[in-house]
Amino acid sequence: MKKRILIVGRGTAGTALARDIERRSDSIVAGFLDDRAVGPDVLGGLDDVNEVVATHAIDLVYFAIPSIDARTIRDFLGTIVLGDVEIAVIPRTYEILTKDTVDIDDLTDVDVLDLVGREPVKHDLLSSREFIEGKRILVTGAAGSIGSRLVHQIATMNPESVACVDWWENGMFALSEELGSDPRMSFHIADIKNEPLLDRLFSEHTPDVVFHAAAYKHVPLMQANPLEAVNNNVWGSLNLMRLAIRHRTAHFVMVSTDKAVNPVNVMGATKRIGEMMMASLAAESPTTAFNAVRFGNVIQSNGSVMQTFRAQIAARQPLTVTHEDITRYFMTIDEASQLIIQSAFAGEPSDIFVLDMGEPVKILDLARSLVSAVDPTLEIRIVGLRPGEKMYEELSYEPDRVGRTANPKIFVTRDSTGFDTVALMGAVDALLADTLAYRIGSDDAIRRLQQMGFAVQAWSSEVLA
């Protein structure tokens, strides 16, 4: 028996899809839904979907309006009641004439933004190119998901040279395979905690700009391994900042996180210390301009919730959500990497930048939208909060001090320092003396962070078992 298909959108994509379906023998197009088009094959508007599905015995609904705003898609998926009827969202980048259904790997990060109700932010790439062109660049964490995308974008902006630094051998091998034929690129296996090696790299490459994207970022793992979190995220960052000043690097941009605002976990505390060290050193440095960017959840980054969902969907496993009310901000990996570059010249020294990521989105709503779009048979399970996990994230300590930049979608958070910079650096050096020598244990490290003013929750590593 032929499947009866309802196509949402009687535009170019929808009619092309209908023609392709008509060439097959296993399906028939019962009609279209469209809020603007009229005709005998238009069975109603988008609000009529449930009635049309029931009346016309629809088996499958294709949503095929690539140009529609993201919120409409989200509202449509949230209100539709399909029963046994399947739904597939046709991504704007998806070759709609080649497949019957949408696979999770066909959904780009822009398509995921559609599901969470936000359009991607457009950046001034011409200004970014003018800034990068002819400069010597050093990127830490270059083999990571964000760092590698950043390197690829910088490579298109005519830099004089790009030194890619990371300790992850396999990732660096992959990056060198992709870009190794470019004589401007160099690849260095190096740990940001290795001061002599990094000093030599700074001497060899004399970077004009350092983009610092290297960090340990996984909240539960860092909660169970606080010494390594401090050593890498605090000492590694401090090492790089001091080297940038020593070698008179003009611009230093540090990648931070929304978890650095009122942190309750070790990872967030280490990133907030990084921001505070940046502010402290910037006040003393006449040659190096320091800036930072705070990210939300980067959709395609390693370890993101979307990566987890993709793996679960591919394995046809239930989608796991830690709490039914937990919310997050979302951004694409291209938005993230472009924001890093923009932050080097968009504001004043010590500014921290954030992207307009719209309203925070319930992870449960994202999971439901993915299930509806890809495989309605999948379950969603609430599994409980992980160690150190916050219910919601914040982008600024003082929302009333968030200012605008030339790009209306990029904001600067000029949080007041409110701390003694000399005392901070003394406390940091004392903490690092103990963590780098492993003279203290995990519980002591967490207590020291708490004594520095962070409400870090103590969790046993057994929670991860």
PDB file of all heavy atoms in Angstrom, residues 69-72 74 92 109-123 297 299 329-333 335-336 355-361 409:
ATOM      1  N   ASP A  69      11.311  31.131   9.172  1.00  0.00           N
ATOM      2  CA  ASP A  69      12.038  31.480  10.388  1.00  0.00           C
ATOM      3  C   ASP A  69      12.049  30.293  11.342  1.00  0.00           C
ATOM      4  O   ASP A  69      11.178  29.437  11.347  1.00  0.00           O
ATOM      5  CB  ASP A  69      11.406  32.696  11.067  1.00  0.00           C
ATOM      6  CG  ASP A  69      10.003  32.418  11.586  1.00  0.00           C
ATOM      7  OD1 ASP A  69       9.045  32.497  10.793  1.00  0.00           O
ATOM      8  OD2 ASP A  69       9.883  32.119  12.786  1.00  0.00           O
ATOM      9  N   ALA A  70      13.106  30.289  12.170  1.00  0.00           N
ATOM     10  CA  ALA A  70      13.353  29.140  13.038  1.00  0.00           C
ATOM     11  C   ALA A  70      12.236  28.913  14.052  1.00  0.00           C
ATOM     12  O   ALA A  70      11.866  27.776  14.352  1.00  0.00           O
ATOM     13  CB  ALA A  70      14.679  29.331  13.770  1.00  0.00           C
ATOM     14  N   ARG A  71      11.679  29.991  14.588  1.00  0.00           N
ATOM     15  CA  ARG A  71      10.663  29.839  15.627  1.00  0.00           C
ATOM     16  C   ARG A  71       9.420  29.144  15.099  1.00  0.00           C
ATOM     17  O   ARG A  71       8.759  28.393  15.818  1.00  0.00           O
ATOM     18  CB  ARG A  71      10.305  31.204  16.221  1.00  0.00           C
ATOM     19  CG  ARG A  71       9.388  31.091  17.437  1.00  0.00           C
ATOM     20  CD  ARG A  71       9.353  32.387  18.189  1.00  0.00           C
ATOM     21  NE  ARG A  71      10.658  32.738  18.725  1.00  0.00           N
ATOM     22  CZ  ARG A  71      11.153  32.223  19.845  1.00  0.00           C
ATOM     23  NH1 ARG A  71      10.462  31.334  20.541  1.00  0.00           N
ATOM     24  NH2 ARG A  71      12.339  32.598  20.288  1.00  0.00           N
ATOM     25  N   THR A  72       9.077  29.383  13.826  1.00  0.00           N
ATOM     26  CA  THR A  72       7.895  28.743  13.253  1.00  0.00           C
ATOM     27  C   THR A  72       8.076  27.230  13.212  1.00  0.00           C
ATOM     28  O   THR A  72       7.145  26.479  13.512  1.00  0.00           O
ATOM     29  CB  THR A  72       7.612  29.286  11.848  1.00  0.00           C
ATOM     30  OG1 THR A  72       7.376  30.701  11.935  1.00  0.00           O
ATOM     31  CG2 THR A  72       6.383  28.618  11.241  1.00  0.00           C
ATOM     32  N   ARG A  74       9.996  25.474  15.170  1.00  0.00           N
ATOM     33  CA  ARG A  74       9.960  24.988  16.551  1.00  0.00           C
ATOM     34  C   ARG A  74       8.521  24.903  17.057  1.00  0.00           C
ATOM     35  O   ARG A  74       8.120  23.918  17.681  1.00  0.00           O
ATOM     36  CB  ARG A  74      10.782  25.923  17.438  1.00  0.00           C
ATOM     37  CG  ARG A  74      10.857  25.484  18.885  1.00  0.00           C
ATOM     38  CD  ARG A  74      11.702  26.478  19.658  1.00  0.00           C
ATOM     39  NE  ARG A  74      11.680  26.209  21.084  1.00  0.00           N
ATOM     40  CZ  ARG A  74      12.222  26.982  22.000  1.00  0.00           C
ATOM     41  NH1 ARG A  74      12.826  28.090  21.624  1.00  0.00           N
ATOM     42  NH2 ARG A  74      12.157  26.675  23.271  1.00  0.00           N
ATOM     43  N   ARG A  92      17.833  22.879   5.131  1.00  0.00           N
ATOM     44  CA  ARG A  92      18.057  23.762   3.993  1.00  0.00           C
ATOM     45  C   ARG A  92      19.288  23.340   3.199  1.00  0.00           C
ATOM     46  O   ARG A  92      19.412  23.673   2.027  1.00  0.00           O
ATOM     47  CB  ARG A  92      18.208  25.209   4.450  1.00  0.00           C
ATOM     48  CG  ARG A  92      19.224  25.429   5.525  1.00  0.00           C
ATOM     49  CD  ARG A  92      19.432  26.899   5.821  1.00  0.00           C
ATOM     50  NE  ARG A  92      18.202  27.596   6.095  1.00  0.00           N
ATOM     51  CZ  ARG A  92      17.630  27.683   7.297  1.00  0.00           C
ATOM     52  NH1 ARG A  92      18.208  27.079   8.319  1.00  0.00           N
ATOM     53  NH2 ARG A  92      16.530  28.344   7.478  1.00  0.00           N
ATOM     54  N   ASP A 109      24.358  22.186  11.936  1.00  0.00           N
ATOM     55  CA  ASP A 109      24.139  22.964  13.143  1.00  0.00           C
ATOM     56  C   ASP A 109      23.141  24.089  12.909  1.00  0.00           C
ATOM     57  O   ASP A 109      22.431  24.504  13.822  1.00  0.00           O
ATOM     58  CB  ASP A 109      25.457  23.498  13.711  1.00  0.00           C
ATOM     59  CG  ASP A 109      26.302  24.220  12.686  1.00  0.00           C
ATOM     60  OD1 ASP A 109      25.883  24.298  11.523  1.00  0.00           O
ATOM     61  OD2 ASP A 109      27.393  24.706  13.051  1.00  0.00           O
ATOM     62  N   VAL A 110      23.054  24.590  11.672  1.00  0.00           N
ATOM     63  CA  VAL A 110      22.050  25.611  11.363  1.00  0.00           C
ATOM     64  C   VAL A 110      20.654  25.019  11.462  1.00  0.00           C
ATOM     65  O   VAL A 110      19.713  25.653  11.957  1.00  0.00           O
ATOM     66  CB  VAL A 110      22.292  26.211   9.963  1.00  0.00           C
ATOM     67  CG1 VAL A 110      21.165  27.173   9.583  1.00  0.00           C
ATOM     68  CG2 VAL A 110      23.625  26.933   9.921  1.00  0.00           C
ATOM     69  N   ASP A 111      20.504  23.781  11.011  1.00  0.00           N
ATOM     70  CA  ASP A 111      19.201  23.119  11.134  1.00  0.00           C
ATOM     71  C   ASP A 111      18.833  22.901  12.599  1.00  0.00           C
ATOM     72  O   ASP A 111      17.671  23.013  12.975  1.00  0.00           O
ATOM     73  CB  ASP A 111      19.226  21.761  10.406  1.00  0.00           C
ATOM     74  CG  ASP A 111      19.517  21.916   8.927  1.00  0.00           C
ATOM     75  OD1 ASP A 111      18.923  22.808   8.313  1.00  0.00           O
ATOM     76  OD2 ASP A 111      20.353  21.171   8.407  1.00  0.00           O
ATOM     77  N   VAL A 112      19.819  22.604  13.431  1.00  0.00           N
ATOM     78  CA  VAL A 112      19.551  22.442  14.860  1.00  0.00           C
ATOM     79  C   VAL A 112      19.112  23.770  15.465  1.00  0.00           C
ATOM     80  O   VAL A 112      18.214  23.813  16.307  1.00  0.00           O
ATOM     81  CB  VAL A 112      20.789  21.883  15.589  1.00  0.00           C
ATOM     82  CG1 VAL A 112      20.546  21.847  17.095  1.00  0.00           C
ATOM     83  CG2 VAL A 112      21.112  20.480  15.078  1.00  0.00           C
ATOM     84  N   LEU A 113      19.729  24.872  15.032  1.00  0.00           N
ATOM     85  CA  LEU A 113      19.274  26.184  15.492  1.00  0.00           C
ATOM     86  C   LEU A 113      17.809  26.391  15.149  1.00  0.00           C
ATOM     87  O   LEU A 113      17.052  26.995  15.914  1.00  0.00           O
ATOM     88  CB  LEU A 113      20.110  27.305  14.872  1.00  0.00           C
ATOM     89  CG  LEU A 113      21.473  27.618  15.488  1.00  0.00           C
ATOM     90  CD1 LEU A 113      22.014  28.915  14.909  1.00  0.00           C
ATOM     91  CD2 LEU A 113      21.402  27.729  16.999  1.00  0.00           C
ATOM     92  N   ASP A 114      17.388  25.920  13.970  1.00  0.00           N
ATOM     93  CA  ASP A 114      15.968  25.989  13.613  1.00  0.00           C
ATOM     94  C   ASP A 114      15.118  25.321  14.686  1.00  0.00           C
ATOM     95  O   ASP A 114      14.075  25.837  15.090  1.00  0.00           O
ATOM     96  CB  ASP A 114      15.710  25.287  12.270  1.00  0.00           C
ATOM     97  CG  ASP A 114      16.057  26.172  11.081  1.00  0.00           C
ATOM     98  OD1 ASP A 114      16.196  27.400  11.272  1.00  0.00           O
ATOM     99  OD2 ASP A 114      16.195  25.632   9.977  1.00  0.00           O
ATOM    100  N   LEU A 115      15.574  24.172  15.144  1.00  0.00           N
ATOM    101  CA  LEU A 115      14.793  23.408  16.104  1.00  0.00           C
ATOM    102  C   LEU A 115      14.722  24.097  17.462  1.00  0.00           C
ATOM    103  O   LEU A 115      13.772  23.896  18.208  1.00  0.00           O
ATOM    104  CB  LEU A 115      15.380  22.000  16.264  1.00  0.00           C
ATOM    105  CG  LEU A 115      15.383  21.128  15.001  1.00  0.00           C
ATOM    106  CD1 LEU A 115      15.982  19.759  15.314  1.00  0.00           C
ATOM    107  CD2 LEU A 115      13.991  20.975  14.421  1.00  0.00           C
ATOM    108  N   VAL A 116      15.755  24.894  17.807  1.00  0.00           N
ATOM    109  CA  VAL A 116      15.728  25.589  19.091  1.00  0.00           C
ATOM    110  C   VAL A 116      15.194  27.003  18.954  1.00  0.00           C
ATOM    111  O   VAL A 116      15.133  27.749  19.932  1.00  0.00           O
ATOM    112  CB  VAL A 116      17.123  25.610  19.762  1.00  0.00           C
ATOM    113  CG1 VAL A 116      17.638  24.204  19.954  1.00  0.00           C
ATOM    114  CG2 VAL A 116      18.115  26.456  18.973  1.00  0.00           C
ATOM    115  N   GLY A 117      14.812  27.397  17.742  1.00  0.00           N
ATOM    116  CA  GLY A 117      14.127  28.667  17.558  1.00  0.00           C
ATOM    117  C   GLY A 117      15.024  29.873  17.428  1.00  0.00           C
ATOM    118  O   GLY A 117      14.678  30.958  17.882  1.00  0.00           O
ATOM    119  N   ARG A 118      16.203  29.721  16.775  1.00  0.00           N
ATOM    120  CA  ARG A 118      17.077  30.873  16.592  1.00  0.00           C
ATOM    121  C   ARG A 118      17.752  30.816  15.242  1.00  0.00           C
ATOM    122  O   ARG A 118      18.113  29.748  14.752  1.00  0.00           O
ATOM    123  CB  ARG A 118      18.155  30.924  17.690  1.00  0.00           C
ATOM    124  CG  ARG A 118      19.040  32.166  17.595  1.00  0.00           C
ATOM    125  CD  ARG A 118      19.933  32.316  18.793  1.00  0.00           C
ATOM    126  NE  ARG A 118      21.042  31.385  18.832  1.00  0.00           N
ATOM    127  CZ  ARG A 118      22.173  31.532  18.118  1.00  0.00           C
ATOM    128  NH1 ARG A 118      22.295  32.528  17.286  1.00  0.00           N
ATOM    129  NH2 ARG A 118      23.128  30.647  18.243  1.00  0.00           N
ATOM    130  N   GLU A 119      17.918  31.972  14.620  1.00  0.00           N
ATOM    131  CA  GLU A 119      18.639  32.059  13.365  1.00  0.00           C
ATOM    132  C   GLU A 119      20.117  32.320  13.648  1.00  0.00           C
ATOM    133  O   GLU A 119      20.464  32.964  14.651  1.00  0.00           O
ATOM    134  CB  GLU A 119      18.065  33.178  12.494  1.00  0.00           C
ATOM    135  CG  GLU A 119      16.620  32.916  12.065  1.00  0.00           C
ATOM    136  CD  GLU A 119      16.068  34.023  11.201  1.00  0.00           C
ATOM    137  OE1 GLU A 119      16.807  35.011  10.979  1.00  0.00           O
ATOM    138  OE2 GLU A 119      14.922  33.924  10.758  1.00  0.00           O
ATOM    139  N   PRO A 120      21.022  31.843  12.788  1.00  0.00           N
ATOM    140  CA  PRO A 120      22.452  32.067  13.032  1.00  0.00           C
ATOM    141  C   PRO A 120      22.810  33.539  12.927  1.00  0.00           C
ATOM    142  O   PRO A 120      22.205  34.289  12.164  1.00  0.00           O
ATOM    143  CB  PRO A 120      23.127  31.241  11.928  1.00  0.00           C
ATOM    144  CG  PRO A 120      22.085  31.094  10.859  1.00  0.00           C
ATOM    145  CD  PRO A 120      20.773  31.042  11.573  1.00  0.00           C
ATOM    146  N   VAL A 121      23.801  33.946  13.721  1.00  0.00           N
ATOM    147  CA  VAL A 121      24.271  35.327  13.702  1.00  0.00           C
ATOM    148  C   VAL A 121      25.274  35.493  12.570  1.00  0.00           C
ATOM    149  O   VAL A 121      26.202  34.696  12.414  1.00  0.00           O
ATOM    150  CB  VAL A 121      24.928  35.692  15.052  1.00  0.00           C
ATOM    151  CG1 VAL A 121      25.615  37.049  14.983  1.00  0.00           C
ATOM    152  CG2 VAL A 121      23.871  35.683  16.150  1.00  0.00           C
ATOM    153  N   LYS A 122      25.087  36.529  11.777  1.00  0.00           N
ATOM    154  CA  LYS A 122      26.001  36.826  10.677  1.00  0.00           C
ATOM    155  C   LYS A 122      27.090  37.763  11.175  1.00  0.00           C
ATOM    156  O   LYS A 122      26.812  38.774  11.804  1.00  0.00           O
ATOM    157  CB  LYS A 122      25.240  37.448   9.510  1.00  0.00           C
ATOM    158  CG  LYS A 122      24.195  36.513   8.894  1.00  0.00           C
ATOM    159  CD  LYS A 122      23.463  37.179   7.741  1.00  0.00           C
ATOM    160  CE  LYS A 122      22.421  36.242   7.144  1.00  0.00           C
ATOM    161  NZ  LYS A 122      21.678  36.886   6.043  1.00  0.00           N
ATOM    162  N   HIS A 123      28.338  37.428  10.865  1.00  0.00           N
ATOM    163  CA  HIS A 123      29.471  38.228  11.308  1.00  0.00           C
ATOM    164  C   HIS A 123      30.068  39.003  10.137  1.00  0.00           C
ATOM    165  O   HIS A 123      29.905  38.645   8.976  1.00  0.00           O
ATOM    166  CB  HIS A 123      30.542  37.334  11.937  1.00  0.00           C
ATOM    167  CG  HIS A 123      30.137  36.746  13.254  1.00  0.00           C
ATOM    168  ND1 HIS A 123      30.314  37.402  14.446  1.00  0.00           N
ATOM    169  CD2 HIS A 123      29.556  35.562  13.559  1.00  0.00           C
ATOM    170  CE1 HIS A 123      29.869  36.657  15.431  1.00  0.00           C
ATOM    171  NE2 HIS A 123      29.405  35.529  14.925  1.00  0.00           N
ATOM    172  N   ASN A 297      26.475  26.570  24.619  1.00  0.00           N
ATOM    173  CA  ASN A 297      26.675  25.211  24.140  1.00  0.00           C
ATOM    174  C   ASN A 297      26.930  25.250  22.635  1.00  0.00           C
ATOM    175  O   ASN A 297      26.052  25.614  21.864  1.00  0.00           O
ATOM    176  CB  ASN A 297      25.427  24.358  24.456  1.00  0.00           C
ATOM    177  CG  ASN A 297      25.695  22.879  24.301  1.00  0.00           C
ATOM    178  OD1 ASN A 297      25.975  22.404  23.202  1.00  0.00           O
ATOM    179  ND2 ASN A 297      25.600  22.147  25.398  1.00  0.00           N
ATOM    180  N   ILE A 299      27.135  23.660  19.267  1.00  0.00           N
ATOM    181  CA  ILE A 299      26.380  22.493  18.819  1.00  0.00           C
ATOM    182  C   ILE A 299      27.275  21.352  18.339  1.00  0.00           C
ATOM    183  O   ILE A 299      27.068  20.194  18.686  1.00  0.00           O
ATOM    184  CB  ILE A 299      25.383  22.904  17.718  1.00  0.00           C
ATOM    185  CG1 ILE A 299      24.293  23.808  18.322  1.00  0.00           C
ATOM    186  CG2 ILE A 299      24.742  21.690  17.067  1.00  0.00           C
ATOM    187  CD1 ILE A 299      23.393  24.464  17.294  1.00  0.00           C
ATOM    188  N   TYR A 329      22.044  27.839  26.486  1.00  0.00           N
ATOM    189  CA  TYR A 329      22.161  28.656  25.288  1.00  0.00           C
ATOM    190  C   TYR A 329      22.867  27.834  24.210  1.00  0.00           C
ATOM    191  O   TYR A 329      23.730  27.013  24.517  1.00  0.00           O
ATOM    192  CB  TYR A 329      22.984  29.916  25.569  1.00  0.00           C
ATOM    193  CG  TYR A 329      22.304  30.912  26.467  1.00  0.00           C
ATOM    194  CD1 TYR A 329      22.572  30.947  27.827  1.00  0.00           C
ATOM    195  CD2 TYR A 329      21.390  31.832  25.956  1.00  0.00           C
ATOM    196  CE1 TYR A 329      21.962  31.878  28.662  1.00  0.00           C
ATOM    197  CE2 TYR A 329      20.771  32.756  26.780  1.00  0.00           C
ATOM    198  CZ  TYR A 329      21.057  32.772  28.130  1.00  0.00           C
ATOM    199  OH  TYR A 329      20.448  33.688  28.945  1.00  0.00           O
ATOM    200  N   PHE A 330      22.523  28.083  22.950  1.00  0.00           N
ATOM    201  CA  PHE A 330      23.113  27.325  21.854  1.00  0.00           C
ATOM    202  C   PHE A 330      23.710  28.252  20.801  1.00  0.00           C
ATOM    203  O   PHE A 330      23.166  29.319  20.513  1.00  0.00           O
ATOM    204  CB  PHE A 330      22.066  26.424  21.185  1.00  0.00           C
ATOM    205  CG  PHE A 330      21.722  25.210  21.979  1.00  0.00           C
ATOM    206  CD1 PHE A 330      20.706  25.254  22.917  1.00  0.00           C
ATOM    207  CD2 PHE A 330      22.427  24.033  21.819  1.00  0.00           C
ATOM    208  CE1 PHE A 330      20.386  24.137  23.681  1.00  0.00           C
ATOM    209  CE2 PHE A 330      22.122  22.909  22.580  1.00  0.00           C
ATOM    210  CZ  PHE A 330      21.097  22.967  23.507  1.00  0.00           C
ATOM    211  N   MET A 331      24.841  27.822  20.245  1.00  0.00           N
ATOM    212  CA  MET A 331      25.455  28.551  19.141  1.00  0.00           C
ATOM    213  C   MET A 331      26.115  27.541  18.211  1.00  0.00           C
ATOM    214  O   MET A 331      26.443  26.425  18.615  1.00  0.00           O
ATOM    215  CB  MET A 331      26.473  29.573  19.647  1.00  0.00           C
ATOM    216  CG  MET A 331      27.651  28.979  20.391  1.00  0.00           C
ATOM    217  SD  MET A 331      28.606  30.188  21.340  1.00  0.00           S
ATOM    218  CE  MET A 331      29.028  31.394  20.120  1.00  0.00           C
ATOM    219  N   THR A 332      26.304  27.926  16.956  1.00  0.00           N
ATOM    220  CA  THR A 332      26.949  27.036  15.995  1.00  0.00           C
ATOM    221  C   THR A 332      28.460  27.159  16.124  1.00  0.00           C
ATOM    222  O   THR A 332      28.992  28.137  16.650  1.00  0.00           O
ATOM    223  CB  THR A 332      26.551  27.370  14.549  1.00  0.00           C
ATOM    224  OG1 THR A 332      27.169  28.610  14.172  1.00  0.00           O
ATOM    225  CG2 THR A 332      25.035  27.488  14.406  1.00  0.00           C
ATOM    226  N   ILE A 333      29.164  26.171  15.601  1.00  0.00           N
ATOM    227  CA  ILE A 333      30.618  26.196  15.693  1.00  0.00           C
ATOM    228  C   ILE A 333      31.198  27.302  14.829  1.00  0.00           C
ATOM    229  O   ILE A 333      32.246  27.883  15.134  1.00  0.00           O
ATOM    230  CB  ILE A 333      31.189  24.810  15.325  1.00  0.00           C
ATOM    231  CG1 ILE A 333      32.600  24.662  15.890  1.00  0.00           C
ATOM    232  CG2 ILE A 333      31.146  24.571  13.824  1.00  0.00           C
ATOM    233  CD1 ILE A 333      33.092  23.239  15.921  1.00  0.00           C
ATOM    234  N   GLU A 335      29.642  30.235  14.338  1.00  0.00           N
ATOM    235  CA  GLU A 335      29.438  31.432  15.144  1.00  0.00           C
ATOM    236  C   GLU A 335      30.534  31.562  16.196  1.00  0.00           C
ATOM    237  O   GLU A 335      31.058  32.651  16.437  1.00  0.00           O
ATOM    238  CB  GLU A 335      28.072  31.382  15.833  1.00  0.00           C
ATOM    239  CG  GLU A 335      26.888  31.583  14.919  1.00  0.00           C
ATOM    240  CD  GLU A 335      25.568  31.446  15.653  1.00  0.00           C
ATOM    241  OE1 GLU A 335      25.486  30.609  16.571  1.00  0.00           O
ATOM    242  OE2 GLU A 335      24.619  32.168  15.319  1.00  0.00           O
ATOM    243  N   ALA A 336      30.881  30.442  16.823  1.00  0.00           N
ATOM    244  CA  ALA A 336      31.890  30.452  17.875  1.00  0.00           C
ATOM    245  C   ALA A 336      33.249  30.884  17.338  1.00  0.00           C
ATOM    246  O   ALA A 336      33.905  31.775  17.897  1.00  0.00           O
ATOM    247  CB  ALA A 336      31.987  29.071  18.521  1.00  0.00           C
ATOM    248  N   LEU A 355      27.662  36.350  22.558  1.00  0.00           N
ATOM    249  CA  LEU A 355      26.835  36.397  21.364  1.00  0.00           C
ATOM    250  C   LEU A 355      25.371  36.466  21.755  1.00  0.00           C
ATOM    251  O   LEU A 355      24.964  35.943  22.803  1.00  0.00           O
ATOM    252  CB  LEU A 355      27.080  35.128  20.535  1.00  0.00           C
ATOM    253  CG  LEU A 355      26.536  35.100  19.108  1.00  0.00           C
ATOM    254  CD1 LEU A 355      27.351  36.032  18.224  1.00  0.00           C
ATOM    255  CD2 LEU A 355      26.601  33.677  18.557  1.00  0.00           C
ATOM    256  N   ASP A 356      24.588  37.148  20.945  1.00  0.00           N
ATOM    257  CA  ASP A 356      23.143  37.132  21.141  1.00  0.00           C
ATOM    258  C   ASP A 356      22.632  35.748  20.743  1.00  0.00           C
ATOM    259  O   ASP A 356      22.454  35.448  19.562  1.00  0.00           O
ATOM    260  CB  ASP A 356      22.475  38.210  20.290  1.00  0.00           C
ATOM    261  CG  ASP A 356      20.961  38.244  20.456  1.00  0.00           C
ATOM    262  OD1 ASP A 356      20.436  37.430  21.243  1.00  0.00           O
ATOM    263  OD2 ASP A 356      20.304  39.063  19.807  1.00  0.00           O
ATOM    264  N   MET A 357      22.416  34.906  21.729  1.00  0.00           N
ATOM    265  CA  MET A 357      21.989  33.531  21.469  1.00  0.00           C
ATOM    266  C   MET A 357      20.511  33.328  21.734  1.00  0.00           C
ATOM    267  O   MET A 357      20.048  32.204  21.903  1.00  0.00           O
ATOM    268  CB  MET A 357      22.829  32.566  22.318  1.00  0.00           C
ATOM    269  CG  MET A 357      24.269  32.465  21.852  1.00  0.00           C
ATOM    270  SD  MET A 357      25.280  31.370  22.883  1.00  0.00           S
ATOM    271  CE  MET A 357      25.599  32.420  24.287  1.00  0.00           C
ATOM    272  N   GLY A 358      19.760  34.439  21.763  1.00  0.00           N
ATOM    273  CA  GLY A 358      18.326  34.321  21.974  1.00  0.00           C
ATOM    274  C   GLY A 358      18.012  33.876  23.386  1.00  0.00           C
ATOM    275  O   GLY A 358      18.798  34.041  24.314  1.00  0.00           O
ATOM    276  N   GLU A 359      16.854  33.287  23.545  1.00  0.00           N
ATOM    277  CA  GLU A 359      16.439  32.790  24.849  1.00  0.00           C
ATOM    278  C   GLU A 359      17.041  31.410  25.106  1.00  0.00           C
ATOM    279  O   GLU A 359      17.240  30.629  24.174  1.00  0.00           O
ATOM    280  CB  GLU A 359      14.910  32.694  24.913  1.00  0.00           C
ATOM    281  CG  GLU A 359      14.203  34.031  24.819  1.00  0.00           C
ATOM    282  CD  GLU A 359      14.554  34.947  25.982  1.00  0.00           C
ATOM    283  OE1 GLU A 359      14.619  34.446  27.128  1.00  0.00           O
ATOM    284  OE2 GLU A 359      14.775  36.144  25.744  1.00  0.00           O
ATOM    285  N   PRO A 360      17.358  31.098  26.363  1.00  0.00           N
ATOM    286  CA  PRO A 360      17.840  29.746  26.654  1.00  0.00           C
ATOM    287  C   PRO A 360      16.768  28.717  26.313  1.00  0.00           C
ATOM    288  O   PRO A 360      15.569  28.994  26.414  1.00  0.00           O
ATOM    289  CB  PRO A 360      18.141  29.784  28.149  1.00  0.00           C
ATOM    290  CG  PRO A 360      17.322  30.915  28.688  1.00  0.00           C
ATOM    291  CD  PRO A 360      17.241  31.924  27.581  1.00  0.00           C
ATOM    292  N   VAL A 361      17.214  27.555  25.905  1.00  0.00           N
ATOM    293  CA  VAL A 361      16.314  26.513  25.406  1.00  0.00           C
ATOM    294  C   VAL A 361      16.325  25.323  26.354  1.00  0.00           C
ATOM    295  O   VAL A 361      17.380  24.914  26.848  1.00  0.00           O
ATOM    296  CB  VAL A 361      16.761  26.058  24.000  1.00  0.00           C
ATOM    297  CG1 VAL A 361      15.923  24.877  23.523  1.00  0.00           C
ATOM    298  CG2 VAL A 361      16.664  27.214  23.021  1.00  0.00           C
ATOM    299  N   LYS A 409      24.582  41.903  17.144  1.00  0.00           N
ATOM    300  CA  LYS A 409      24.392  40.577  17.724  1.00  0.00           C
ATOM    301  C   LYS A 409      25.536  40.171  18.653  1.00  0.00           C
ATOM    302  O   LYS A 409      25.529  39.085  19.206  1.00  0.00           O
ATOM    303  CB  LYS A 409      24.239  39.531  16.609  1.00  0.00           C
ATOM    304  CG  LYS A 409      22.946  39.665  15.810  1.00  0.00           C
ATOM    305  CD  LYS A 409      21.726  39.311  16.647  1.00  0.00           C
ATOM    306  CE  LYS A 409      20.468  39.274  15.814  1.00  0.00           C
ATOM    307  NZ  LYS A 409      19.283  38.891  16.605  1.00  0.00           N
TER     308      LYS A 409
END
